[in-house]
Amino acid sequence: MNMGRLKLQSFVKTIEEEPEEPEITSSNKAAISCMINSEIGAVLAIMRRNVRWGGRYMSGDDQLEHSLIQSMKALRKQVFMWQQQWYNISPILYLQPFLDVIRSDETGASITSVALSSVYKILVLDVLDINTENIEDAMHSVVDAVTSCRFEVTDPASEEVVLTKILQVLLACMESKASVVLSNQHVCTIVNTCFRIVHQATTKGELLYRMAVHTMRELVRCIFSHLPKVEGLEDFVANRVSVKSEIGSLDNEFNFSVKQLSNGNSNSECDGQLPSGNFGTTAPTSMNADVVDENGGGSGKESRPYDLHVMTEPYGVPSMFEIFHFLCSLLVVDHIGISPRSNGMAIDEDAPLFALGLINSAIELGGASFLRHPSLLNLIQDELFRNLMLFGLSPSPLILSMVCSIALNLYHHLRMELKLQLEAFFSCVILRLAQSRYGASYQQQEAAMEALVDFCRQKTFMVEMYANLDCDITCSNVFEDLANLLSKSAFPVNSPLSSMHILALDGLIAVIQGMAERIGNGSHGSEQAPVSLEEYAPFWMVKCDNYSDPNHWVPYVRRRKYIKRRLMIGADHFNRDPKKGLEFLQGTHLLPDKLDPQSVACFFRYTAGLDKNLVGDFLGNHDEFCVQVLHEFAQTFDFQDMNLDIALRLFLETFRLPGESQKIQRVLEAFAERYYEQSSLILANKDVAFILSYSLIMLNTDLHNVQVKKKMTEDDFIRNNRRINGGEDLPREYLLELYHSICKNEIRTTPEQGAGFAEMNPSRWIDLMHKCKKTAPYIVTDSRAYLDHDMFAIMSGPTIAAISVVFDHAEQEDVYRTCIDGFLAVAKISACHHLEDVLDDLVVSLCKFTTLLNPSSIEEPVLAFGDDMKARMATVTVFTIANRYGNYIRAGWRNILDCILRLHKLGLLPARVASDAADDSELTSDPGQGKPLTNSLSASHLPSMGTPRRSSGLMGRFSQLLSLETEEPRSQPTEQQLAAHQRTLQTIQKCHIDTIFTESKFLQAESLLQLARALIWAAGRPQKGAGSPEDEDTAVFCLELLIAITLNNRDRIVLLWQGVYEHIANIVQSTVMPCALVEKAVFGLLRICQRLLPYKENLADELLKSLQLVLKLDARVADAYCEQVTQEVTRLVKANSTHIRSQMGWRTITSLLSVTARHPEASEPGFDALVFIMSEGAHMQPSNFILCVDAARQFAESRVGQSDRSIRALDLMAGSVGCLVKWVHQTKEAGEDAVKMSQDIGEMWLRLVQALRKVCLDQREEVRNHAVSSLQKCLTEVDEVHHAHTLWLQCFDMVIFTMLDDLLEIAQGHSQKDYRNMEGTLTFAVKLLPKVFLQLLPELSQLTTFCKLWLGVLSRMEKYMKVKIRGKKSEKLQNLVLELLKKTLVEMKNRGVLVQRSALGGDSLWELTWLHVNNISPSLQSEIYPSAEVDGNNNATPPEPVVSEG
């Protein structure tokens, strides 16, 4: 047979294949012979000391010596004579004499002790191994001899020595290389013998007892360390079942029993023989009997012996099974509860501790190998775990700790097969004992909490609890309950912080850190879509295709959890209104639109939290649908092989049995029908099950109702149930068993409603074992964060609260660090799974601990902060989170900024946190953008106009500390103060606050937006009146930070711009006096424009439009900053002129420049910018031409500064004509838009000359004259620009004539003081008129309106001829006018424009001309037109005027 034994053949083969050891040399062989010889001598010597063995001589041929001595002497002769190799010598030859001495009941304790020592020496010196001749018989003989050792007891000490030697030899047998040849029977015998010695030792010396216990542990270690090498058990299990009925009680050597002995020691036996009876524990065994009986053939009957053949095979699973079962049976107790009713366990906890220790050792060594052996696994699943559940409630913390250690080992090795057992252990043991409300002592609570923390330190424990139990509708929410327990247990409610709180915190943080470590190992957590049910499917039948593939089981468990949650909500609705509850479940597709009995029954069966009274009323209702639901409900139970009372208990635990007899009858009929289907061994039909069930309910009421005085007896119960089994009586033993079960344990017909964690009882355990057969496979998770998002969402709130409270109450640095680790882990998980609300809550909690948000009532807050380790650690943690996980902070930015502002007010921030944050980016410009921009807005360029700020920065605070103002002379700070201040500075350095803003370009859009909004919120609304300096300082600082992040996020300026602009606009428009805030706002705005214009051309208009805010400044504010603003605008123009393309943008720029024209300090840089734009038309564009001309006019008219600047401005205006010429050439090449462009150029030219006309009226002579010259240049040097005739007519009317008229008026109406040397200006002006007129004469003469134009020219000459300057006519001017007029008339004559066409007076041009000319100089006509010419030309026909004006 090959049934569950060691792989002996392969083991032997392995040894044979090893490199052969050197042959035993003759010297080694001799050494062994000498050793055996010396042992023989030792035994003979001790025997001779005894008179009995000293020397026996008998008459005749009888032996002269005792057979024991003779065999020793014979061995002594042979030991040196053996020639073959030592391993070819049968060990029986040299062991047998010693074994005979051990077996003999004639030898005393001292002789037996020496013989045992000799055998021990032979075993431990490796004389024997698996290749030794006849090793099996030798090993069996040793075990048989030692376990049946007999000797005479002379004194207790010698007896203890012998027992100690026996332990040594038996252990040596198991530790020997040859131990693999021992049979199952012999191994069991060894263990049984050692256990008997353990039991005996309890009445003997302490040393023997400890030696015996140690030996038992070593034996178990040796035996179960072989389990991984044992072959499979399939044949063994099948065979074992078949032979149970054939094999009776075998030899007691290997049949373990736990019967109580009447006499537990051998001192009364005269010969000192080890009793052949088997010893058990002193613990009562009635609980075990009850469980076995109730189980109806459960694991209690597993102790039946194997057949003799199996037990004689080399040892393996059969012996291990018997030993393990025996160890489990040592744990049987009468009653163990949280409140010990007797102090039996309290007095003697050694026995259960001993058994638990051996069991733990076996599990540690066997490990996962138990999974390959169903019989051993079944023992663990049922009997061991059942006893662990009972012992787990022991009042002894030692026992509880050992139970928890075993449970942890079982979880580690065998959790795949212990799903429901683990659920029961946590629900009924850990969760009950870890809370004081269930009556547990502090020691129990601490032991349970320690165990729970150990479990939490297993990386996958909580994930697997969640996946396997919380996501299973038939299981409790163990993960949720454990997480809540840890959170609540960490709360020090109205009490100082204790070790229990720290322990719970450790567990909580272990869970959190496990989640944090899984981040980055691959996760589907953040990618998983929310679960929803689109259509109805039976929720109790949801299955998974593959429980080992995360792609299958992750969606499966998430779907199950969703269903479970919806069922809980449905239960809540049902408890308020059953009808609405069912309708709600129909709406969520958990019940079909048309209700069917099965779905409602499964809702009642598998949903936790239902009101059991309502369920009972529904099931007991006579309505047909309710009756169908009742029968379907009963079908959900598994009563296979269950006793009737157990089945009835389980059935009635799920609802409250209605009080009406008819309802009770309906309920019990459904129960009886289902019970009979599955357990019909004794009952004749289902009616028997119904009657008996009803009878049990009546018995239960009778026995446990205090109002019933006369209780039903056994005979009464049996008599009441006569002849109900198809006319026959049920077996008396069966009925008595039912009676006593009800008597001892009441059936509760009103189950507790949500009373917390139920205590495990036999019926529930049996139900659990039935469920184990049907439950879904255990899901083993790996190191990836599949479910962490869902889990963390459940526990994050309580976790943050718990860690915060502990951190608040803690006083030790190691506790602080533990809490900080927890905070950082929470932050990491929140960020990874995009739980922004959780991260915000964490930040809010942490900011409270920084003490920075507290009202400043402390005299020296900087020193207080330096002395407060908790505050410093919290501060560093807050900013660590802000720097690492800022992407996922939302509302929390406000709290972080509050901390930053507080540090700023205390002067603890570096002086230029915000400035540095923005300036850093200036040093790195994009390639191709030219040289980097210099920081034009640094403190060196911009002295503050507002209130001087108090000293800030790290050194500033330090200097304040060194000069603390007191009434007495200044004292030096103490060493403690200096150390505290140094700690403060180091803390701030660790925070890297500036990184938040310099690295803001990496923040996600939403987080960045929230940061900007928080800055605006923290700055507060600007006040029109004078606010406090502190408020202003805060607003300035916030504005600096806002500008910094704006500059650092130029690629996302669209996101921020609206808020930034509105904030700056509020400041600008509400400020009426110069101050630091408006200064920072204005120059910050300019700085943003400077920096962003090169990169954001699509936003150029928006950016430049924002500069119009500067124009809205209050006059006092504008005046204070005008020069600096102009300098900045100048820099902006010089750096970005190529990026300003729109008219709107240029309008803003030129408006700002124009404003400066009349400002003493600002006009110079303003004009410098204008020169940059207009010089040689470098940056002139059609979009800015008119605007620049107008700005130049403002500077030309401005009397600020020297006249030279006005003249330069006029030169710029005159020089701009070149741009028009250039554009005309470009227009000719453009083609399509030429007409429109020509019109635009004409309009620009007209605006230019109009602007010059205005300057021609300037009071300053040189400016006035230069303006006229410039105007003449603009009018005469545009030959290449072909303006429309109408445009020239407009020019004469609006520019030339108007200028001449205005100058004339000024000359006649103003004093010489106001306008010096007007004569010279008039001279320049009047020269301009005929020059322009004659240049345009060929074109203008063709116009129908030419006559009108010409008369206008004549009228102006006439006026200038007659003008009086300072009361008298100007001779110079008169001569000039005559000369110009004559020249004009001659030119007109030569061009044939002015000729007489008709003698009849029809020639209006001719007549009107001479009419005006005669008024000026009557002789001119005769000079230009002598009579001959006049007459000769009278008949000449002049050309007809052209009608068209274009």
Side-chain angles (χ1 to χ4, degrees):
M1 296 177 67
N2 184 24
M3 296 175 294
R5 62 171 183 246
L6 285 172
K7 302 176 184 176
L8 185 55
Q9 293 174 348
S10 61
F11 185 70
V12 173
K13 184 177 179 183
T14 304
I15 292 176
E16 289 174 350
E17 289 174 353
E18 290 178 356
E20 293 186 7
E21 294 183 9
E23 269 190 23
I24 298 178
T25 62
S26 57
S27 61
N28 289 338
K29 188 174 167 187
I32 296 173
S33 300
C34 289
M35 180 270 291
I36 293 175
N37 182 63
S38 66
E39 293 303 319
I40 295 168
V43 174
L44 289 175
I46 198 70
M47 290 177 75
R48 289 183 183 127
R49 285 174 55 185
N50 191 305
V51 176
R52 181 190 300 178
W53 308 98
R56 285 173 63 181
Y57 299 94
M58 302 184 67
S59 60
D61 294 326
D62 290 342
Q63 58 185 11
L64 297 177
E65 294 177 306
H66 195 280
S67 59
L68 293 177
I69 293 179
Q70 282 187 339
S71 62
M72 285 286 180
K73 290 183 177 181
L75 176 58
R76 177 175 268 183
K77 290 179 183 179
Q78 294 176 356
V79 75
F80 290 106
M81 298 173 63
W82 288 321
Q83 298 299 318
Q84 63 268 49
Q85 294 293 337
W86 195 261
Y87 58 79
N88 289 329
I89 301 170
S90 174
I92 291 293
L93 296 176
Y94 51 84
L95 283 173
Q96 193 62 53
F98 297 102
L99 300 180
D100 290 342
V101 172
I102 293 169
R103 286 177 183 272
S104 173
D105 54 3
E106 298 178 32
T107 55
S110 58
I111 300 172
T112 305
S113 174
V114 174
L116 286 166
S117 294
S118 301
V119 174
Y120 175 73
K121 182 182 286 189
I122 294 171
L123 288 171
V124 298
L125 287 179
D126 285 339
V127 175
L128 307 178
D129 63 27
I130 198 166
N131 296 318
T132 304
E133 181 76 18
N134 203 22
I135 186 64
E136 292 91 344
D137 292 342
M139 292 298 291
H140 293 169
S141 297
V142 171
V143 173
D144 290 340
V146 175
T147 54
S148 58
C149 171
R150 298 166 181 269
F151 58 94
E152 291 180 354
V153 177
T154 55
D155 61 273
S158 60
E159 180 188 4
E160 290 186 21
V161 171
V162 173
L163 294 176
T164 301
K165 298 290 186 183
I166 290 172
L167 293 172
Q168 284 184 334
V169 174
L170 292 178
L171 181 57
C173 286
M174 289 307 304
E175 290 180 338
S176 165
K177 292 180 181 177
S179 63
V180 293
V181 302
L182 290 172
S183 68
N184 287 304
Q185 172 183 340
H186 286 93
V187 170
C188 291
T189 304
I190 289 171
V191 174
N192 198 18
T193 301
C194 288
F195 180 74
R196 282 152 52 195
I197 295 175
V198 171
H199 183 73
Q200 281 190 13
T202 57
T203 60
K204 300 183 186 300
E206 179 72 13
L207 185 60
L208 176 63
Y209 175 75
R210 292 186 180 278
M211 179 70 181
V213 169
H214 171 74
T215 305
M216 276 294 287
R217 289 175 182 156
E218 290 300 303
L219 285 174
V220 170
R221 182 185 62 79
C222 290
I223 293 166
F224 283 91
S225 63
H226 285 290
L227 184 59
K229 305 171 188 173
V230 174
E231 294 178 347
L233 278 194
E234 293 77 10
D235 298 334
F236 154 66
V237 174
N239 182 66
R240 187 171 186 279
V241 174
S242 66
V243 301
K244 271 187 180 180
S245 58
E246 300 172 9
I247 305 299
S249 177
L250 295 180
D251 194 359
N252 282 334
E253 264 94 9
F254 59 88
N255 181 20
F256 290 104
S257 172
V258 289
K259 293 179 181 177
Q260 178 68 39
L261 290 178
S262 58
N263 185 359
N265 66 67
S266 61
N267 286 345
S268 60
E269 298 188 22
C270 60
D271 61 351
Q273 175 188 357
L274 280 172
S276 60
N278 299 312
F279 293 154
T281 66
T282 56
T285 59
S286 58
M287 172 66 82
N288 190 43
D290 286 348
V291 174
V292 171
D293 291 341
E294 288 177 346
N295 203 356
S299 62
K301 296 184 181 180
E302 294 292 329
S303 60
R304 286 197 178 193
Y306 293 92
D307 61 31
L308 189 56
H309 182 69
V310 171
M311 295 308 291
T312 55
E313 287 285 318
Y315 87 95
V317 170
S319 56
M320 294 182 196
F321 176 88
E322 293 293 348
I323 294 166
F324 200 82
H325 177 263
F326 168 63
L327 296 177
C328 292
S329 67
L330 296 179
L331 297 176
V332 175
V333 291
D334 274 331
H335 175 80
I336 295 175
I338 288 179
S339 303
R341 296 178 182 176
S342 65
N343 60 359
M345 285 300 298
I347 293 172
D348 182 15
E349 59 185 17
D350 289 344
L353 280 175
F354 170 67
L356 290 169
L358 296 178
I359 291 170
N360 193 38
S361 181
I363 292 166
E364 286 174 344
L365 293 161
S369 300
F370 282 98
L371 294 171
R372 293 190 283 115
H373 307 294
S375 63
L376 288 170
L377 184 60
N378 183 60
L379 266 180
I380 292 172
Q381 288 173 320
D382 190 354
E383 188 169 352
L384 173 60
F385 241 108
R386 183 179 67 227
N387 291 332
L388 288 179
M389 298 286 289
L390 297 171
F391 267 87
L393 300 178
S394 162
S396 165
L398 286 174
I399 293 177
L400 175 57
S401 295
M402 184 55 73
V403 166
C404 293
S405 296
I406 294 172
L408 182 61
N409 277 319
L410 289 172
Y411 167 81
H412 182 68
H413 295 296
L414 309 174
R415 61 184 182 276
M416 295 73 75
E417 300 296 333
L418 299 174
K419 174 179 170 180
L420 298 184
Q421 288 88 342
L422 287 168
E423 178 198 10
F425 179 75
F426 285 108
S427 297
C428 302
V429 177
I430 298 295
L431 285 165
R432 284 180 66 87
L433 293 185
Q435 303 176 75
S436 58
R437 60 177 174 161
Y438 292 104
S441 68
Y442 183 83
Q443 289 77 15
Q444 284 177 302
Q445 292 177 52
E446 194 168 32
M449 188 59 70
E450 285 173 349
L452 176 54
V453 173
D454 286 338
F455 274 98
C456 291
R457 289 179 178 136
Q458 313 305 306
K459 301 300 181 188
T460 61
F461 168 70
M462 280 297 205
V463 192
E464 290 180 358
M465 291 299 102
Y466 181 78
N468 289 287
L469 302 177
D470 288 56
C471 296
D472 190 332
I473 59 171
T474 63
C475 298
S476 56
N477 292 332
V478 170
F479 160 76
E480 208 164 324
D481 292 337
L482 292 178
N484 287 334
L485 170 65
L486 289 170
S487 301
K488 291 176 183 175
S489 300
F491 266 81
V493 182
N494 300 324
S495 63
L497 206 60
S498 68
S499 59
M500 179 72 82
H501 299 128
I502 304 301
L503 196 59
L505 179 72
D506 285 341
L508 202 57
I509 291 178
V511 177
I512 294 298
Q513 287 182 329
M515 291 185 184
E517 288 171 15
R518 284 191 288 274
I519 293 171
N521 293 339
S523 164
H524 304 291
S526 55
E527 302 167 9
Q528 290 166 355
V531 181
S532 61
L533 299 179
E534 302 298 333
E535 57 184 15
Y536 168 73
F539 60 83
W540 62 93
M541 295 176 68
V542 177
K543 300 296 179 188
C544 178
D545 297 331
N546 187 340
Y547 286 90
S548 59
D549 182 359
N551 293 323
H552 288 88
W553 68 254
V554 172
Y556 163 67
V557 298
R558 294 185 77 241
R559 181 181 176 84
R560 281 200 310 181
K561 185 61 178 176
Y562 174 82
I563 290 171
K564 193 173 184 179
R565 284 199 181 108
R566 305 305 288 182
L567 285 173
M568 297 291 285
I569 298 171
D572 189 51
H573 285 286
F574 180 87
N575 292 342
R576 290 197 292 265
D577 185 330
K579 184 178 178 182
K580 288 184 178 177
L582 296 177
E583 288 174 355
F584 169 81
L585 291 169
Q586 286 175 297
T588 55
H589 305 295
L590 287 173
L591 291 179
D593 293 336
K594 183 178 180 181
L595 289 177
D596 63 79
Q598 186 186 24
S599 61
V600 177
C602 289
F603 168 64
F604 289 156
R605 180 75 168 93
Y606 300 121
T607 305
L610 286 172
D611 186 327
K612 295 182 179 180
N613 293 315
L614 292 175
V615 176
D617 289 341
F618 191 102
L619 294 175
N621 199 307
H622 66 279
D623 179 79
E624 181 182 354
F625 181 75
C626 293
V627 172
Q628 291 174 345
V629 171
L630 173 63
H631 283 272
E632 289 290 345
F633 183 77
Q635 291 295 314
T636 64
F637 287 86
D638 180 11
F639 298 138
Q640 193 74 37
D641 300 325
M642 248 186 231
N643 280 1
L644 181 65
D645 65 307
I646 298 292
L648 190 59
R649 288 178 198 277
L650 291 176
F651 187 67
L652 296 180
E653 271 187 356
T654 55
F655 62 93
R656 177 185 175 276
L657 189 65
E660 300 175 30
S661 59
Q662 290 182 339
K663 290 186 176 181
I664 294 174
Q665 180 177 342
R666 278 192 290 272
V667 169
L668 292 182
E669 281 176 351
F671 165 75
E673 182 179 340
R674 176 61 173 166
Y675 182 79
Y676 180 73
E677 284 178 17
Q678 295 185 301
S679 301
S680 56
L681 295 176
I682 297 177
L683 308 180
N685 51 53
K686 65 180 181 180
D687 293 335
V688 184
F690 168 72
I691 294 169
L692 200 50
S693 301
Y694 213 105
S695 180
L696 288 177
I697 295 295
M698 299 301 291
L699 173 65
N700 187 68
T701 305
D702 186 272
L703 292 178
H704 297 286
N705 192 325
V706 293
Q707 296 179 350
V708 178
K709 302 302 180 185
K710 186 180 179 183
K711 305 296 183 183
M712 190 183 301
T713 63
E714 293 178 4
D715 293 337
D716 293 338
F717 180 68
I718 293 171
R719 186 166 49 252
N720 291 344
N721 290 292
R722 280 181 182 167
R723 302 187 183 284
I724 62 171
N725 195 25
E728 300 292 331
D729 287 342
L730 288 164
R732 180 180 178 86
E733 295 78 11
Y734 179 74
L735 292 175
L736 285 176
E737 184 181 344
L738 292 175
Y739 177 87
H740 289 297
S741 175
I742 301 299
C743 186
K744 290 178 184 177
N745 192 3
E746 177 188 2
I747 297 176
R748 295 188 178 276
T749 54
T750 34
E752 298 171 351
Q753 296 276 3
F757 304 105
E759 191 173 349
M760 182 58 67
N761 58 38
S763 59
R764 286 178 182 151
W765 184 260
I766 293 167
D767 183 45
L768 184 145
M769 295 310 297
H770 278 76
K771 285 181 179 176
C772 285
K773 301 171 186 174
K774 299 178 181 178
T775 189
Y778 188 93
I779 295 169
V780 179
T781 64
D782 55 26
S783 59
R784 286 176 283 185
Y786 295 115
L787 301 172
D788 286 354
H789 178 279
D790 299 346
M791 293 166 59
F792 187 68
I794 292 171
M795 67 181 295
S796 57
T799 299
I800 294 174
I803 301 175
S804 299
V805 171
V806 173
F807 190 63
D808 189 26
H809 285 72
E811 296 177 356
Q812 295 82 26
E813 183 178 352
D814 58 334
V815 181
Y816 293 160
R817 298 202 181 283
T818 302
C819 293
I820 294 299
D821 290 343
F823 285 134
L824 291 174
V826 169
K828 183 176 181 180
I829 301 163
S830 304
C832 171
H833 296 296
H834 301 181
L835 298 170
E836 291 87 357
D837 292 345
V838 176
L839 194 56
D840 285 339
D841 291 343
L842 174 62
V843 169
V844 170
S845 294
L846 267 173
C847 285
K848 294 175 184 174
F849 295 118
T850 63
T851 68
L852 298 172
L853 306 184
N854 302 341
S856 181
S857 57
I858 305 168
E859 185 176 345
E860 190 54 56
V862 178
L863 297 181
F865 183 76
D867 288 328
D868 191 342
M869 177 182 286
K870 183 189 298 183
R872 297 199 312 276
M873 293 178 76
T875 303
V876 172
T877 307
V878 165
F879 290 107
T880 301
I881 290 172
N883 278 306
R884 288 185 191 171
Y885 311 115
N887 270 334
Y888 307 99
I889 298 175
R890 299 293 182 264
W893 282 123
R894 291 192 174 189
N895 301 80
I896 293 171
L897 281 174
D898 283 341
C899 293
I900 294 175
L901 290 175
R902 178 65 175 154
L903 292 171
H904 174 67
K905 288 175 184 176
L906 294 175
L908 292 175
L909 292 184
R912 298 180 71 246
V913 166
S915 302
D916 290 342
D919 291 346
D920 287 346
S921 60
E922 290 184 338
L923 301 176
T924 56
S925 60
D926 291 347
Q929 294 292 341
K931 63 180 181 180
L933 298 175
T934 57
N935 177 20
S936 57
L937 292 173
S938 64
S940 60
H941 289 96
L942 299 178
S944 173
M945 298 291 174
T947 309
R949 287 168 60 177
R950 56 202 173 89
S951 61
S952 62
L954 303 181
M955 296 311 297
R957 286 301 306 172
F958 193 65
S959 62
Q960 286 182 20
L961 177 67
L962 292 173
S963 58
L964 297 174
E965 293 183 4
T966 58
E967 294 179 1
E968 300 177 6
R970 295 178 180 177
S971 59
Q972 292 297 320
T974 64
E975 289 186 10
Q976 289 82 359
Q977 288 176 322
L978 289 172
H981 198 273
Q982 188 61 32
R983 287 192 294 269
T984 299
L985 302 187
Q986 290 170 353
T987 299
I988 302 307
Q989 288 172 354
K990 290 178 185 175
C991 290
H992 301 293
I993 294 171
D994 56 332
T995 310
I996 295 173
F997 305 101
T998 57
E999 301 300 315
S1000 62
K1001 53 181 167 288
F1002 301 115
L1003 286 178
Q1004 288 183 1
E1006 182 61 27
S1007 178
L1008 178 64
L1009 190 58
Q1010 292 296 336
L1011 174 57
R1013 288 175 178 170
L1015 281 166
I1016 294 169
W1017 169 83
R1021 297 287 299 174
Q1023 311 250 336
K1024 287 217 170 185
S1028 69
E1030 192 171 277
D1031 290 342
E1032 183 185 353
D1033 192 43
T1034 298
V1036 169
F1037 184 67
C1038 289
L1039 184 57
E1040 287 177 349
L1041 296 178
L1042 185 62
I1043 292 168
I1045 65 167
T1046 304
L1047 294 175
N1048 276 310
N1049 288 275
R1050 66 187 184 205
D1051 294 329
R1052 297 186 287 179
I1053 185 64
V1054 177
L1055 187 70
L1056 300 172
W1057 179 244
Q1058 189 63 32
V1060 174
Y1061 173 76
E1062 289 176 1
H1063 180 58
I1064 293 177
N1066 285 335
I1067 294 171
V1068 168
Q1069 293 171 3
S1070 62
T1071 306
V1072 293
M1073 291 296 289
C1075 62
L1077 180 59
V1078 74
E1079 176 186 349
K1080 183 61 68 176
V1082 170
F1083 293 112
L1085 187 60
L1086 284 164
R1087 191 174 179 190
I1088 290 170
C1089 290
Q1090 284 180 25
R1091 190 76 62 77
L1092 299 182
L1093 273 176
Y1095 306 105
K1096 291 292 173 186
E1097 293 184 6
N1098 58 328
L1099 272 179
D1101 286 351
E1102 281 290 321
L1103 292 169
L1104 292 168
K1105 183 182 178 183
S1106 68
L1107 294 179
Q1108 293 177 6
L1109 289 174
V1110 179
L1111 300 173
K1112 299 178 182 178
L1113 283 168
D1114 184 271
R1116 287 166 291 187
V1117 178
D1119 186 61
Y1121 301 125
C1122 191
E1123 182 180 3
Q1124 292 95 329
V1125 168
T1126 308
Q1127 289 172 352
E1128 294 309 314
V1129 173
T1130 301
R1131 291 189 179 93
L1132 185 147
V1133 168
K1134 288 183 177 180
N1136 299 289
S1137 57
T1138 56
H1139 304 293
I1140 307 172
R1141 294 194 171 90
S1142 71
Q1143 188 173 17
M1144 179 187 294
W1146 280 112
R1147 177 172 285 113
T1148 304
I1149 295 294
T1150 53
S1151 298
L1152 289 168
L1153 296 178
S1154 299
V1155 168
T1156 67
R1158 288 171 177 77
H1159 194 280
E1161 290 84 13
S1163 58
E1164 190 61 39
F1167 185 68
D1168 188 28
L1170 192 63
V1171 170
F1172 175 80
I1173 297 170
M1174 298 183 68
S1175 283
E1176 300 178 2
H1179 301 289
M1180 297 286 281
Q1181 303 164 12
S1183 59
N1184 70 0
F1185 183 89
I1186 295 173
L1187 298 168
C1188 290
V1189 165
D1190 193 54
R1193 179 187 63 79
Q1194 300 270 12
F1195 278 98
E1197 292 177 341
S1198 171
R1199 304 194 66 172
V1200 174
Q1202 300 295 322
S1203 299
D1204 290 347
R1205 191 165 63 208
S1206 297
I1207 292 171
R1208 288 170 62 201
L1210 290 169
D1211 289 340
L1212 291 176
M1213 295 169 72
S1216 63
V1217 173
C1219 296
L1220 298 178
V1221 174
K1222 180 174 69 174
W1223 295 336
V1224 166
H1225 291 307
Q1226 293 172 353
T1227 302
K1228 291 176 181 176
E1229 298 169 5
E1232 296 180 5
D1233 299 327
V1235 176
K1236 174 73 171 63
M1237 191 61 192
S1238 296
Q1239 292 175 353
D1240 291 343
I1241 291 172
E1243 177 66 22
M1244 286 185 263
W1245 174 79
L1246 184 60
R1247 295 289 292 271
L1248 170 63
V1249 293
Q1250 283 180 313
L1252 284 169
R1253 175 195 66 78
K1254 293 178 181 177
V1255 186
C1256 290
L1257 309 179
D1258 195 276
Q1259 285 184 318
R1260 294 165 296 174
E1261 178 187 359
E1262 62 274 22
V1263 175
R1264 195 167 60 240
N1265 294 342
H1266 198 76
V1268 175
S1269 300
S1270 299
L1271 178 60
Q1272 179 176 315
K1273 180 181 177 183
C1274 291
L1275 292 172
T1276 58
E1277 295 182 5
V1278 287
D1279 295 338
E1280 297 180 52
V1281 183
H1282 302 287
H1283 295 310
H1285 298 147
T1286 53
L1287 193 65
W1288 278 112
L1289 293 175
Q1290 282 182 308
C1291 178
F1292 271 97
D1293 285 340
M1294 298 168 64
V1295 178
I1296 300 173
F1297 293 161
T1298 306
M1299 177 196 69
L1300 291 169
D1301 293 346
D1302 290 346
L1303 284 173
L1304 198 62
E1305 183 181 345
I1306 290 170
Q1308 294 175 337
H1310 290 78
S1311 68
Q1312 178 69 17
K1313 290 181 182 179
D1314 294 333
Y1315 289 87
R1316 297 177 59 186
N1317 194 13
M1318 279 301 296
E1319 183 180 4
T1321 304
L1322 294 176
T1323 301
F1324 283 118
V1326 80
K1327 283 180 181 178
L1328 178 148
L1329 177 61
K1331 187 171 184 178
V1332 175
F1333 178 77
L1334 291 175
Q1335 184 174 330
L1336 297 170
L1337 184 60
E1339 293 88 1
L1340 296 176
S1341 62
Q1342 305 300 313
L1343 302 178
T1344 55
T1345 56
F1346 175 73
C1347 182
K1348 180 181 178 183
L1349 175 64
W1350 168 237
L1351 292 177
V1353 172
L1354 287 176
S1355 68
R1356 267 63 183 186
M1357 287 190 169
E1358 185 178 351
K1359 288 179 181 178
Y1360 270 66
M1361 188 72 184
K1362 298 176 180 178
V1363 66
K1364 289 184 179 181
I1365 299 172
R1366 286 178 292 175
K1368 60 181 181 178
K1369 293 184 179 180
S1370 169
E1371 184 178 343
K1372 179 180 177 183
L1373 201 55
Q1374 288 177 343
N1375 293 334
L1376 179 61
V1377 170
L1378 285 174
E1379 182 184 343
L1380 294 174
L1381 179 58
K1382 182 178 179 180
K1383 183 179 179 181
T1384 303
L1385 291 171
V1386 169
E1387 186 67 24
M1388 291 176 71
K1389 172 190 172 185
N1390 294 338
R1391 290 179 180 256
V1393 175
L1394 185 61
V1395 292
Q1396 187 175 8
R1397 294 186 298 170
S1398 168
L1400 300 176
D1403 189 355
S1404 59
L1405 177 65
W1406 176 266
E1407 293 177 355
L1408 290 173
T1409 298
W1410 295 115
L1411 183 64
H1412 281 280
V1413 171
N1414 290 334
N1415 288 336
I1416 298 170
S1417 175
S1419 62
L1420 274 179
Q1421 184 174 10
S1422 60
E1423 287 182 30
I1424 298 171
Y1425 289 95
S1427 58
E1429 283 189 40
V1430 175
D1431 293 340
N1433 290 310
N1434 278 343
N1435 296 324
T1437 304
E1440 289 293 329
V1442 182
V1443 176
S1444 171
E1445 296 183 357

